Amino acid sequence: MRFIDLLIVVTGLCSYSTLAQTTSTLPNQTEQGALHRYKKFKLWGYKNSRNETVIPCKYQSAGEFEFGLATVSVGDYKCGCVDKNGKIKIPLIYDQVYIYTNNLVLVNEGEKWMYLDATGKQVSQYKYDVVKRFIAYTAPVCRNNLWGLADTNGKEIVPCKYDDVNGCYGGIACVYLKDKWGFVDLKGKIVLPFQFDKATVFYNGYAFVVKDGNKNLIDRNGRYFAKNKYKSIGLFEDGISLVQKDSLWGYVDSTDHEVIPIIYSQLDEFSNGLATAKINHRSMLIDKKGKVVSEIYDSLVVKRYNNFAIIRKNELIGMVNASLKEVIPCKYQEIDFYTDRILKARVDDKWELWDSSGKRISSNLYDAGLSYHSKVFYNPFDMIVTRNKKNGMLNDEGVEIIPCIYDAIIPGNRYGDELENEDVAIVIKDKKWGFINTDGVLIAECKYDTAVNFNGTTGLAKKAGKWDIIKENGQIIGGIPYDNISVFRSGFAKVKRNNKYGYIDTLGRATIPCIYDYADDIEDGVVKVARNKRYGYVDTTGKIIIPCLYDDCQDFSSGMAAVKNGKKWGFIDNQLELVIPYHYEEVYHIHNKYAPALKNGKWGYINDKGYPVLPFEYSTWIYRRSTYCF
């Protein structure tokens, strides 16, 4: 590994450059078994594992619970935190909130950042312009364009008096002042003077530095290790460092003694006490004493995440395990992991399956092109396979749970934020469609002309021009007389009959009659509809929210809805009274009592009374999280 690669690794793990993100991205510590979020009419709340509402839907946004708190926001996108009982612990007055520990929360107010405890009390002495992530229990902070470090209690342990800070590790911080890097302790005392052009934090007693164009390692006393001797040098791990001299690689100890001779054209870092080495175009595994502990192979590729190595001998491929036992013989043209438990090995145009102990799973040979479907069914390790041009399915142990007798298997897919039922898939046999579950049991026989995959517990299939609603338990509600039915989403499906649109529920009952020339998707419990080229809104029961009187319309927001008459837009209130006249070529939702509007080809800003608060002189606008920007 070259110096610059190691510099990047150390910087990424232990510190941040001035180009790093300016707001904190804190670790995700989402609690298992906590309340889960749900959305209703554009607002968010929380339910428990029994699907009972614990915190009603009243928040504009809601995050997952972390350390007993969840970040929520209200209509003006001001953020705070609630506990699992819905009690507000951090007031909803901040622009951004990040939960770091059970007693440390980072908040942003205006252009300033500060740390609070779990009760909302400010624990940081100062407010900061920039705050970065915690690494090794310290976080770089900036105020008045000067940098320091804060600890996990919010205390500023290295004062903000430096031009930059590269993090802290082992009680020594790497800081930048007057165009040079140096090192200070947590009391601000200079450990090593400001003399380096580049530097990283100390790790295992050493830090990388660049001075006068030369890259080297130094210890905490400023002593150089093998100064300017090696082309590349790595960090010390277990007392040894990977080095490159000229074009060859080896390992040295802290006294610069060669513990593994510098004779290899390629040498990797150690993992589980072994490293891959290459010499004279031959590959092998060596231990930390440099002893060759494996056979000599044409090539050797270690799969470190599962402690196996792919080997090649005489142009054929096999595999050895962590004990260097040949678990798959070298007789295959290709070999790889199918899942983390199953290996696939190719002979000519057929694949065999093996488990990680070297046992052949099945005598079945599958067609070439065997591929892993990570989201076929609910179990992410179930997979579609093909044999003799017919499809079946394996489980994560390689057992054929669906025999290879189908022309196609179509698993559930995602629709926006919704996930189809991945315990059920469409199967096609002899051009007829049906449904099957993960146990290989047919829910509906292959007798339909087409089908729509399950969403929740409901699927759809069509035969002889009529639709059947099919339940996961095999119940069939037959003869639904519509020309077309779309996939069920949130318990409703759009239907079409005689070129008119409506909606049905999962029992086939009409909830919105087929009387509309157009019907959009249901969003937050309402749907945009049109009759005679006039637009309005109805809810999922068919109740009219906005009558179909307008050339176009938008949904209600902040008690007002934008409507179009001819070529101009205005706004109506909840009583359908026109409260802002039709003056604008284009408008957007009222948000925080304001909305962007286009007039005479230029954008401006109006309030909820229709008065201009920003002149119509802008060419465009964009929406950011809490406001509109021109």
Side-chain angles (χ1 to χ4, degrees):
M1 185 179 286
R2 296 176 177 81
F3 172 85
I4 189 62
D5 299 323
L6 287 165
L7 181 63
I8 292 170
V9 169
V10 172
T11 303
L13 291 175
C14 305
S15 60
Y16 288 86
S17 70
T18 55
L19 296 178
Q21 63 186 62
T22 56
T23 60
S24 179
T25 304
L26 299 171
N28 184 4
Q29 306 248 1
T30 302
E31 299 170 7
Q32 299 297 318
L35 304 180
H36 64 271
R37 299 175 297 166
Y38 78 106
K39 190 177 185 182
K40 185 177 181 181
F41 300 117
K42 296 187 177 183
L43 296 176
W44 291 87
Y46 294 87
K47 291 185 176 182
N48 60 22
S49 59
R50 297 184 297 275
N51 211 34
E52 299 167 338
T53 297
V54 177
I55 302 174
C57 291
K58 58 182 179 180
Y59 296 108
Q60 197 77 26
S61 66
E64 300 289 353
F65 273 90
E66 304 173 80
F67 302 105
L69 296 176
T71 302
V72 296
S73 72
V74 289
D76 56 359
Y77 283 95
K78 291 295 184 180
C79 302
C81 291
V82 295
D83 64 17
K84 291 182 180 180
N85 296 315
K87 183 178 179 181
I88 295 176
K89 306 297 288 185
I90 306 293
L92 278 67
I93 59 174
Y94 300 104
D95 298 315
Q96 296 183 63
V97 175
Y98 297 94
I99 302 165
Y100 183 66
T101 70
N102 59 354
N103 201 38
L104 189 69
V105 177
L106 176 66
V107 298
N108 172 258
E109 186 176 22
E111 297 181 355
K112 297 293 184 181
W113 295 85
M114 57 186 158
Y115 293 106
L116 311 179
D117 64 18
T119 68
K121 179 183 176 181
Q122 182 177 335
V123 294
S124 54
Q125 183 180 359
Y126 304 100
K127 294 183 178 181
Y128 298 104
D129 304 314
V130 182
V131 174
K132 298 182 183 178
R133 295 191 271 189
F134 276 92
I135 300 293
Y137 307 105
T138 61
V141 291
C142 177
R143 54 186 173 88
N144 302 322
N145 293 321
L146 294 175
W147 289 86
L149 289 170
D151 65 14
T152 53
N153 295 315
K155 181 181 178 181
E156 192 175 290
I157 54 175
V158 173
C160 289
K161 63 178 184 179
Y162 302 102
D163 298 324
D164 200 358
V165 59
N166 218 9
C168 177
Y169 202 81
I172 299 178
C174 181
V175 293
Y176 187 67
L177 186 65
K178 296 180 180 179
D179 297 325
K180 293 294 180 182
W181 289 92
F183 295 88
V184 299
D185 63 19
L186 297 186
K187 295 181 179 180
K189 180 182 177 181
I190 294 176
V191 177
L192 294 175
F194 294 89
Q195 56 181 306
F196 305 109
D197 302 316
K198 295 179 181 179
T200 68
V201 295
F202 280 96
Y203 179 74
N204 284 346
Y206 289 91
F208 283 109
V209 294
V210 177
K211 185 176 181 180
D212 300 327
N214 296 312
K215 314 174 188 72
N216 285 285
L217 277 178
I218 60 171
D219 65 18
R220 294 178 179 230
N221 296 313
R223 292 190 295 258
Y224 282 86
F225 175 79
K227 186 174 182 180
N228 303 332
K229 181 177 178 179
Y230 297 108
K231 182 178 179 180
S232 178
I233 187 168
L235 289 169
F236 277 90
E237 292 283 356
D238 298 325
I240 58 175
S241 171
L242 177 63
V243 296
Q244 182 186 24
K245 192 173 184 180
D246 298 325
S247 60
L248 299 177
W249 295 83
Y251 273 88
V252 298
D253 63 18
S254 59
T255 67
D256 200 22
H257 171 69
E258 287 186 22
V259 293
I260 295 176
I262 304 175
I263 59 173
Y264 297 99
S265 58
Q266 181 179 321
L267 186 58
D268 290 342
E269 293 179 331
F270 279 94
S271 176
N272 295 325
L274 299 177
T276 306
K278 191 171 186 178
I279 187 170
N280 296 329
H281 305 290
R282 303 283 281 169
S283 297
M284 67 209 75
L285 287 171
I286 62 174
D287 63 18
K288 290 190 175 182
K289 295 181 180 180
K291 180 182 177 180
V292 177
V293 295
S294 71
E295 294 185 42
I296 308 299
Y297 303 105
D298 298 330
S299 68
L300 180 69
V301 179
V302 176
K303 301 284 187 178
R304 294 190 185 280
Y305 64 91
N306 39 34
N307 295 323
F308 281 78
I310 296 175
I311 56 175
R312 183 186 293 272
K313 290 192 296 187
N314 301 321
E315 300 303 318
L316 294 176
I317 298 172
M319 185 165 288
V320 296
N321 63 16
S323 300
L324 305 181
K325 178 184 176 182
E326 193 172 289
V327 292
I328 299 181
C330 286
K331 66 176 187 179
Y332 298 97
Q333 287 95 20
E334 185 178 350
I335 199 168
D336 202 353
F337 280 88
Y338 195 13
T339 72
D340 62 351
R341 305 180 193 181
I342 300 176
L343 306 162
K344 61 177 184 177
R346 181 174 63 83
V347 178
D348 298 327
D349 62 346
K350 298 293 183 180
W351 291 91
E352 297 178 2
L353 294 177
W354 297 70
D355 68 16
S356 56
S357 68
K359 179 183 176 183
R360 199 163 107 170
I361 292 174
S362 172
S363 58
N364 293 320
L365 295 177
Y366 296 102
D367 298 343
L370 189 72
S371 60
Y372 172 51
H373 294 248
S374 63
K375 277 292 183 184
V376 174
F377 280 167
Y378 181 77
N379 184 341
F381 298 108
D382 289 340
M383 57 207 99
I384 293 174
V385 292
T386 304
R387 184 173 64 248
N388 300 326
K389 298 183 180 180
K390 296 293 183 179
N391 293 283
M393 181 143 338
L394 309 181
N395 64 13
D396 61 340
E397 296 177 349
V399 176
E400 236 179 65
I401 55 174
I402 298 177
C404 291
I405 61 174
Y406 296 102
D407 301 317
I409 298 176
I410 305 173
N413 295 311
R414 291 185 181 275
Y415 285 90
D417 293 333
E418 294 192 53
L419 181 65
E420 283 191 346
N421 187 336
E422 292 188 333
D423 288 324
V424 180
I426 292 171
V427 287
I428 303 174
K429 186 179 182 182
D430 299 328
K431 298 183 180 180
K432 292 297 182 179
W433 298 53
F435 290 101
I436 199 167
N437 65 20
T438 51
D439 297 321
V441 177
L442 278 171
I443 296 174
E445 295 180 8
C446 293
K447 63 181 182 180
Y448 294 96
D449 302 320
T450 188
V452 178
N453 227 324
F454 272 62
N455 197 323
T457 61
T458 308
L460 294 163
K462 188 177 185 181
K463 181 179 66 172
K466 292 189 177 181
W467 289 88
D468 286 354
I469 293 176
I470 299 171
K471 296 294 186 176
E472 193 173 3
N473 61 7
Q475 177 189 4
I476 295 176
I477 303 171
I480 308 297
Y482 294 100
D483 302 327
N484 193 37
I485 305 179
S486 65
V487 65
F488 276 94
R489 303 182 190 179
S490 302
F492 299 94
K494 187 191 301 185
V495 294
K496 181 181 181 181
R497 184 167 57 200
N498 300 327
N499 288 322
K500 299 293 184 179
Y501 294 91
Y503 273 85
I504 61 172
D505 63 16
T506 56
L507 297 177
R509 299 173 300 196
T511 59
I512 299 176
C514 282
I515 60 174
Y516 295 102
D517 305 320
Y518 165 84
D520 206 344
D521 292 335
I522 292 175
E523 184 178 350
D524 297 322
V526 296
V527 57
K528 186 177 182 179
V529 293
R531 297 185 74 179
N532 302 319
K533 298 183 180 180
R534 295 282 180 166
Y535 289 86
Y537 272 85
V538 297
D539 66 16
T540 55
T541 69
K543 179 182 177 182
I544 294 173
I545 306 299
I546 300 176
C548 293
L549 300 174
Y550 305 99
D551 293 307
D552 201 353
C553 63
Q554 299 174 13
D555 192 13
F556 275 97
S557 175
S558 300
M560 301 175 68
V563 293
K564 189 177 184 181
N565 186 13
K567 296 183 179 180
K568 299 289 186 179
W569 288 83
F571 285 85
I572 59 174
D573 62 15
N574 287 322
Q575 305 302 314
L576 307 182
E577 295 290 334
L578 186 69
V579 291
I580 298 179
Y582 301 110
H583 287 167
Y584 308 102
E585 293 105 74
E586 194 172 343
V587 294
Y588 200 67
H589 290 294
I590 296 284
H591 176 73
N592 290 344
K593 298 185 178 181
Y594 301 98
L598 183 70
K599 188 175 183 179
N600 299 324
K602 294 292 184 180
W603 287 93
Y605 220 79
I606 60 174
N607 64 15
D608 56 359
K609 306 298 182 185
Y611 299 122
V613 294
L614 197 65
F616 294 95
E617 59 184 33
Y618 299 95
S619 58
T620 189
W621 62 274
I622 57 174
Y623 177 74
R624 297 196 182 275
R625 182 182 178 194
S626 58
T627 189
Y628 298 111
C629 301
F630 290 86

